[in-house]
Amino acid sequence: MNIKAFRIIGTILILAVIIVAAPVAIPRLVGISSYNVISGSMEPTISVGSIVYVKGQDFDKLSVGDIIAFNSGASVVTHRITAIDSESMLITTKGDANSEEDFTPIAYTNVIGKVVFHIPVYGNIAAMVSETGGKVVAAILLILGTIFSMVGEEKQKPQNVNPKIFLVLGLVIVFGALAGFTYIYFGYKQSNDLYASINTNYVQISDSEQWQDLINVDIQKLQEINPEVVGWIYVEGTDISYPIMYSADDEKYLHTTITSEYAKAGSIFLEGYNLPDFSDSHSIIYGHNMRNLSMFGSLKYYKTEDNYFDDHRYFQIITKDKKMRFEIFSYFDTEAASWVYTVPYSDSQDFEDYIAELLAHSYIKQENSGTSVSSADTVVTLSTCSNTGMRFTVHGVLKETVSGN
């Protein structure tokens, strides 16, 4: 292979890195966010694997028919507006592929913005590049491109387009991406260190045979750190042991810790429409599905590991004045804006029907559950993202309550 061929290959490699990275990096400079579409709810308009670009929009500029992105618990959903309640600033949405509108209207405060355009397929590429392995591959390609483009440089006549221009552009993008990865890595570490410290200083774990003695949490001291701490969640026998935050909206603690600092992992938090004392018949608690298994990352084991359900049937919610033990009776994947996210309920036929749906969709064979649930019970749903593009939900029914903590 001659020198000219090497230089052409080098230039192509550098250009390839720029072309792959630019559609993610450049829009951010003009205030446009991008999201990878992992659900088919907007097909055929927006297919799975697309990347959507979202720009903030004032409420009075939104119209029926617009496609918007909005926060739904710990997830971002992209659906089309079907109705707008201007007085209460509530927006009804629907996925183009769904037969019915999303069950619950969304508040404007949860709207990220309007989808201004999208690129099919590229979302999958962007997702791969954003992974550690993708960044490494991009760096390797850039290095190879640099080496190839400089082969025999001292013997070549000056060219109209200097490959070094592409090199500089590629370096800026790749090192920017690497800087972002480093920022995320240390964010993970900072978050892990924070919650490890909290568990060390404010939580006591024992191997008692009595469930109420397995964990003790100083909620009052935690509320001195942040008065929006409303409780603590502990999935027995696991590392899921975190404070529960409540701010009456579903956005504040998506990426904010108990100490009010930014973190990718955010916090575990209670649905904004629920009462913070867990007195609703149905409450929802959200947490991110982190790659390092922190937060709600290990919930996935209920559907991937044999016997995991049998060994981890219970979770606790601890407040300042009581401990509650819930028995898991259902878990399954669902759409981000599905009927599952309906709160609150009361002892009614509607709630009875809701519970029947939870049981009907459950991955647990009912003969293996052995748990009875009725509309007179208190149900708590744990929700996180799923790698399938859906949301994974775990449902527990209150079995025992003890006063004190």
Side-chain angles (χ1 to χ4, degrees):
M1 187 179 293
N2 58 36
I3 291 176
K4 183 177 181 180
F6 271 111
R7 293 172 69 85
I8 291 173
I9 292 173
T11 301
I12 290 173
L13 290 176
I14 294 172
L15 280 172
V17 173
I18 294 173
I19 290 171
V20 168
V24 174
I26 294 177
R28 293 176 182 172
L29 300 177
V30 293
I32 296 178
S33 303
S34 60
Y35 300 93
N36 179 27
V37 177
I38 56 178
S39 167
S41 63
M42 280 300 294
E43 291 185 333
T45 308
I46 303 175
S47 59
V48 174
S50 299
I51 187 170
V52 295
Y53 295 91
V54 180
K55 189 173 181 62
Q57 195 85 335
D58 293 336
F59 180 79
D60 57 5
K61 298 291 180 63
L62 294 173
S63 304
V64 171
D66 289 343
I67 300 174
I68 60 171
F70 56 91
N71 290 308
S72 177
S75 308
V76 174
V77 179
T78 301
H79 278 179
R80 191 183 301 277
I81 297 176
T82 58
I84 298 176
D85 184 341
S86 299
E87 184 175 345
S88 58
M89 297 185 75
L90 292 176
I91 300 170
T92 302
T93 54
K94 176 182 175 295
D96 287 1
N98 296 341
S99 58
E100 298 179 352
E101 292 178 334
D102 297 335
F103 203 85
T104 305
I106 60 168
Y108 173 69
T109 54
N110 288 331
V111 174
I112 299 171
K114 178 181 176 180
V115 175
V116 290
F117 65 99
H118 72 280
I119 303 175
V121 181
Y122 185 78
N124 286 334
I125 299 173
M128 288 188 290
V129 172
S130 67
E131 298 285 343
T132 305
K135 290 183 173 67
V136 171
V137 170
I140 292 173
L141 291 178
L142 184 61
I143 292 170
L144 289 175
T146 303
I147 294 172
F148 288 171
S149 67
M150 297 178 68
V151 169
E153 186 177 62
E154 68 282 356
K155 299 179 182 180
Q156 299 297 312
K157 295 179 180 180
Q159 299 181 6
N160 293 330
V161 180
N162 191 337
K164 289 184 178 180
I165 295 175
F166 299 125
L167 171 61
V168 171
L169 290 174
L171 285 172
V172 169
I173 291 174
V174 171
F175 280 105
L178 289 174
F181 167 71
T182 303
Y183 178 76
I184 292 173
Y185 169 78
F186 283 106
Y188 271 45
K189 185 178 184 304
Q190 181 182 12
S191 181
N192 288 343
D193 291 347
L194 169 64
Y195 288 112
S197 174
I198 288 174
N199 271 274
T200 298
N201 295 321
Y202 302 100
V203 180
Q204 292 180 333
I205 300 287
S206 76
D207 55 1
S208 172
E209 295 183 358
Q210 302 296 317
W211 73 267
Q212 60 266 35
D213 297 325
L214 288 174
I215 183 170
N216 288 298
V217 184
D218 194 337
I219 300 294
Q220 187 169 348
K221 286 292 185 181
L222 290 173
Q223 289 176 335
E224 292 177 5
I225 298 175
N226 189 327
E228 292 185 333
V229 173
V230 293
W232 189 276
I233 184 166
Y234 172 57
V235 180
E236 295 179 12
T238 76
D239 291 330
I240 297 178
S241 182
Y242 295 98
I244 303 171
M245 311 303 297
Y246 179 79
S247 64
D249 70 66
D250 293 336
E251 185 174 1
K252 178 175 180 178
Y253 287 105
L254 273 174
H255 300 297
T256 303
T257 68
I258 183 177
T259 54
S260 300
E261 298 174 308
Y262 175 85
K264 183 71 174 177
S267 299
I268 304 296
F269 63 94
L270 180 65
E271 162 64 46
Y273 287 113
N274 279 130
L275 294 174
D277 61 357
F278 300 95
S279 60
D280 287 323
S281 293
H282 179 223
S283 299
I284 304 174
I285 299 174
Y286 301 103
H288 286 297
N289 175 16
M290 304 305 292
R291 293 188 180 94
N292 63 357
L293 301 181
S294 63
M295 311 311 283
F296 278 174
S298 61
L299 285 182
K300 63 173 71 73
Y301 290 148
Y302 280 102
K303 60 178 178 176
T304 62
E305 301 291 328
D306 293 338
N307 302 318
Y308 194 82
F309 166 66
D310 293 329
D311 297 334
H312 306 87
R313 281 177 173 256
Y314 299 94
F315 63 86
Q316 297 182 31
I317 293 178
I318 299 125
T319 66
K320 189 164 60 175
D321 55 6
K322 62 184 174 182
K323 292 182 178 179
M324 297 169 281
R325 194 188 202 202
F326 294 79
E327 183 176 2
I328 295 169
F329 66 91
S330 170
Y331 53 80
F332 55 91
D333 291 290
T334 189
E335 290 280 349
S338 81
W339 54 271
V340 172
Y341 297 99
T342 304
V343 293
Y345 273 110
S346 60
D347 184 0
S348 63
Q349 186 59 48
D350 284 343
F351 192 34
E352 195 76 41
D353 294 341
Y354 177 84
I355 291 169
E357 288 296 316
L358 294 182
L359 293 169
H361 286 79
S362 178
Y363 296 156
I364 305 171
K365 294 180 179 179
Q366 290 312 301
E367 59 268 24
N368 296 333
S369 174
T371 303
S372 60
V373 191
S374 74
S375 62
D377 287 317
T378 298
V379 172
V380 166
T381 292
L382 311 182
S383 176
T384 192
C385 294
S386 174
N387 291 333
T388 61
M390 307 281 276
R391 304 297 178 262
F392 184 60
T393 56
V394 177
H395 312 275
V397 58
L398 179 63
K399 285 299 182 181
E400 296 181 74
T401 302
V402 295
S403 300
N405 176 14

